[in-house]
Amino acid sequence: MSETVFSNFDTVKFEGPTSDKALVYQYYDADRVVLGKPLKEHLRFSVAYWHSLVMNGTDPFGGPTIDRPWMKAGDPIALAKLKADAAFELFRVLDLPFYCFHDMDMAPTGECLAENLRNLHTMAEYMAEKMQIYSTQLLWGTANLFSHPRFMAGASTNPDPEVFAWSAATVKNCMDVTKQLGGSNYVLWGGREGYETLLNTNMHQELEQMGRFLSLVVEYKHKIGFDGQILIEPKPKEPTSHQYDFDTATVYAFLKRFGLEGEVRVNLEANHATLAGHSFEHEIATAGALGILGSLDINRGDALLGWDTDQFPNDLWTMTMAMYHMIKAGGLGKGGCNFDAKVRRQSFDPEDVIHAHVGGADLCARAFLTAAKLIDEGKYDAILIERYAGWKTGSAVDVLAGKLSLEKIEEMALENKINPQPKSGKQEQIENLLARAIYSEKI
Ligand code: XLS
Ligand code: NI
Ligand code: NI
């Protein structure tokens, strides 16, 4: 194996909040047991191959600013292997347990479908060898069905059935590879599954195609005995102006429509939530309420910009709320916290990628610890329990259980001369309670 751009860095260690070193974890103490298991098992952090190994700093106004050895000209497979060597060294440095990839991130694009698939399997073999040596596991695999011009009008929703077939063949092989590498999940983000203008779009037709595609994916999952979760990643816009998987609620309606709500869960991304006009915790709480929380893509947007800037997270309040609702939803199970985040284009040093992940992991860990403590102490939950206490007693229980008709409820309301009085929502009291916990020195 060749020397890589990450080889010279020591593995980042936990040293606690009093350490004054930059490349150490202050809060991510992987083995610390909280709520019955180690932090690493709750958070299941993952590094995104596309942002940390592939992204080269290009933006709509300028070319690459990040130049790595595997981005030079040369034999595509040799370069892909060089990239994989660097990837696993980065994972070793960060000491985070998982990674995620798109087919195109790790395998070179070929001249035709068959060559694409050949490259994918060649590189999957190489990744498997790496995984024998390093301890990093695969959180999820996915297919890039949005970059190549053939996908400009969508993948499964394309008006051309040949693009559907190309996408189906690609996803089948990506699922095979995800299974081969022991992945815990397979993700479908609807890259260009949406439309630019309704003027040229048959929405009913496209939704039928997307439903068929997802049904085929679920069928294949069972056929090959893949025991990971199938996840849809909602996003409201970008690249198309109307993406079909707008948010959790929209995805749930789609899953219901095709009878897949018991088979498919959601992978929720912070920046996608805010693009949809929601908060990250809103999306997590919605998925929790509907029983479809699968995994998280951790990042943040820029409140002043209207697109998916995919920055590393830095807001403790927002992340604590996200973690609180994640725990309340029953945790992540087979999912994890994938850093779907990239360094800024001026941050071209390999070291910048390490700083970014250290900060992200520490922020999430601190947020998780605070959320767990809030739950443990119970003061916050007590306010909510008290707020809904009326539903636990008397006829309210029968109402929820569906035992009383509308007429019966009316009859009882009149008989009991009910006269409900407004009660305080206690918002400021709750905000103070949370602020004290979030900004407390003791965690
Ligand atoms: C893009 C998405 C993408 C998915 C994987 O906005 O976040 O990175 O996570 O295809
Ligand atoms: Ni994402
Ligand atoms: Ni995104």
Side-chain angles (χ1 to χ4, degrees):
M1 188 200 77
S2 49
E3 183 77 357
T4 81
V5 294
F6 297 113
S7 299
N8 287 331
F9 294 93
D10 290 337
T11 296
V12 178
K13 300 241 167 352
F14 169 74
E15 286 198 6
T18 55
S19 174
D20 59 1
K21 292 189 205 136
L23 291 183
V24 297
Y25 292 119
Q26 291 196 322
Y27 297 97
Y28 179 51
D29 181 3
D31 295 316
R32 175 167 166 185
V33 175
V34 200
L35 301 177
K37 61 182 182 188
L39 213 43
K40 63 179 174 206
E41 289 177 26
H42 285 288
L43 294 167
R44 295 165 58 84
F45 284 129
S46 158
V47 180
Y49 217 90
W50 54 103
H51 284 313
S52 293
L53 283 309
V54 182
M55 196 276 302
N56 63 8
T58 311
D59 76 4
F61 305 95
T65 60
I66 296 174
D67 186 23
R68 305 281 191 244
W70 55 90
M71 294 172 182
K72 314 231 183 285
D75 170 57
I77 292 287
L79 290 171
K81 289 185 176 172
L82 200 62
K83 180 163 49 174
D85 293 345
F88 279 87
E89 273 297 287
L90 174 65
F91 307 156
R92 172 198 58 78
V93 173
L94 296 172
D95 200 16
L96 300 179
F98 293 97
Y99 71 101
C100 295
F101 67 81
H102 298 84
D103 49 352
M104 267 183 56
D105 304 333
M106 62 144 170
T109 308
E111 294 292 326
C112 59
L113 180 60
E115 192 184 345
N116 268 0
L117 301 180
R118 246 190 337 268
N119 288 348
L120 175 66
H121 289 289
T122 304
M123 284 312 298
E125 281 300 320
Y126 194 69
M127 301 297 273
E129 282 169 33
K130 290 268 155 200
M131 290 172 76
Q132 300 278 313
I133 306 165
Y134 292 82
S135 59
T136 323
Q137 292 169 276
L138 178 62
L139 184 65
W140 48 262
T142 189
N144 179 326
L145 303 178
F146 44 89
S147 292
H148 193 280
R150 79 174 60 85
F151 302 119
M152 71 167 87
S156 72
T157 62
N158 202 294
D160 181 351
E162 286 200 353
V163 180
F164 183 105
W166 184 295
S167 309
T170 303
V171 166
K172 174 197 170 286
N173 282 272
C174 284
M175 289 174 74
D176 290 338
V177 162
T178 300
K179 180 177 181 250
Q180 176 192 352
L181 297 176
S184 300
N185 307 272
Y186 186 81
V187 166
L188 298 122
W189 166 57
R192 293 183 194 272
E193 311 292 34
Y195 63 87
E196 291 301 328
T197 170
L198 208 43
L199 295 174
N200 62 11
T201 304
N202 181 340
M203 198 194 293
H204 176 79
Q205 167 72 26
E206 294 200 359
L207 289 173
E208 286 298 310
Q209 290 174 209
M210 201 162 88
R212 185 86 291 274
F213 196 88
L214 189 60
S215 302
L216 288 168
V217 166
V218 168
E219 204 178 288
Y220 190 64
K221 166 198 150 133
H222 292 299
K223 195 175 288 170
I224 62 174
F226 172 56
D227 64 3
Q229 308 182 110
I230 303 293
L231 306 175
I232 287 192
E233 183 174 325
K235 185 175 184 179
K237 54 186 166 192
E238 199 204 22
T240 73
S241 37
H242 301 264
Q243 299 269 135
Y244 291 136
D245 298 327
F246 190 94
D247 61 1
T248 304
T250 313
V251 168
Y252 188 70
F254 173 78
L255 294 178
K256 277 289 230 192
R257 158 91 177 76
F258 292 96
L260 296 170
E261 69 277 13
E263 296 278 0
V264 179
R265 292 172 167 245
V266 282
N267 179 39
L268 299 175
E269 178 165 320
N271 205 164
H272 297 182
T274 50
L275 280 177
H278 300 311
S279 62
F280 193 23
E281 68 263 30
H282 165 89
E283 285 292 84
I284 297 171
T286 305
L290 298 170
I292 56 165
L293 179 62
S295 198
L296 300 178
D297 267 7
I298 301 290
N299 60 17
R300 78 173 204 272
D302 183 323
L304 304 178
L305 302 173
W307 65 91
D308 198 11
T309 59
D310 286 346
Q311 290 167 251
F312 278 81
N314 66 359
D315 184 70
L316 192 54
W317 184 292
T318 310
M319 194 57 79
T320 307
M321 290 296 91
M323 292 295 166
Y324 175 84
H325 287 284
M326 181 268 266
I327 298 170
K328 284 286 167 185
L332 290 176
K334 290 183 180 184
C337 292
N338 171 48
F339 289 108
D340 195 350
K342 61 185 175 206
V343 293
R344 300 302 87 190
R345 71 196 295 266
Q346 293 182 57
S347 306
F348 49 75
D349 288 335
E351 184 178 307
D352 293 318
V353 176
I354 304 172
H355 282 286
H357 285 87
V358 166
D362 261 348
L363 184 93
C364 292
R366 183 168 180 176
F368 183 90
L369 290 168
T370 304
K373 196 165 148 205
L374 271 172
I375 290 169
D376 229 24
E377 285 176 356
K379 279 194 224 160
Y380 174 34
D381 288 358
I383 298 175
L384 279 159
I385 290 170
E386 147 64 24
R387 189 158 197 236
Y388 293 90
W391 284 98
K392 297 280 179 228
T393 54
S395 54
V397 176
D398 294 337
V399 170
L400 262 197
K403 291 185 186 154
L404 303 179
S405 65
L406 214 48
E407 305 93 291
K408 187 67 191 163
I409 295 173
E410 179 205 25
E411 187 192 311
M412 289 169 69
L414 291 172
E415 205 175 280
N416 296 331
K417 298 194 172 54
I418 58 166
N419 182 19
Q421 297 301 307
K423 289 186 190 115
S424 169
K426 301 187 200 292
Q427 184 173 337
E428 296 73 14
Q429 184 185 329
I430 296 171
E431 283 173 353
N432 290 356
L433 193 144
L434 294 178
R436 285 180 189 170
I438 291 171
Y439 302 115
S440 156
E441 299 275 296
K442 285 185 266 114
I443 292 169

